Amino acid sequence: VTRTFLQKNGLSLLVRSHEVKANGFEVQHDGQLVTIFSAPNYCDRMDNKGAFIRFGADMIPHFTTFEAVAHPQVASYVHPGMFY
């Protein structure tokens, strides 16, 4: 599916976001699909890393990962539908 989409649209890489990944990013489908997630320790529960991606002039993706840092002791955000 990824290869077909890229060929039909004249692309070589698909980058998507907003799916929790343990290491902050994941490369799949023979390097043609990248998922990036920038929120470390999502909702103070997931213990995942965050990441961002940079492209140089060569358009090769370069990933930087990072850990969550301590924040003020406030109640964690709970999505209204998380426990139903």
Side-chain angles (χ1 to χ4, degrees):
V1 172
T2 301
R3 183 178 297 117
T4 301
F5 176 84
L6 294 173
Q7 289 172 345
K8 284 184 177 182
N9 291 283
L11 302 170
S12 59
L13 179 66
L14 178 63
V15 179
R16 66 191 200 106
S17 64
H18 205 68
E19 180 179 335
V20 177
K21 297 296 176 184
N23 291 319
F25 72 96
E26 184 175 57
V27 179
Q28 298 174 288
H29 302 185
D30 298 320
Q32 296 179 323
L33 174 67
V34 172
T35 302
I36 192 90
F37 193 75
S38 63
N41 196 25
Y42 187 59
C43 292
D44 290 335
R45 301 168 189 260
M46 301 302 293
D47 198 32
N48 62 292
K49 291 182 182 176
F52 61 89
I53 187 172
R54 284 189 262 179
F55 292 91
D58 57 6
M59 291 307 292
I60 294 174
H62 301 275
F63 302 97
T64 301
T65 62
F66 52 93
E67 303 279 343
V69 296
H71 57 79
Q73 292 299 313
V74 295
S76 297
Y77 171 78
V78 176
H79 188 276
M82 282 181 79
F83 301 106
Y84 297 104

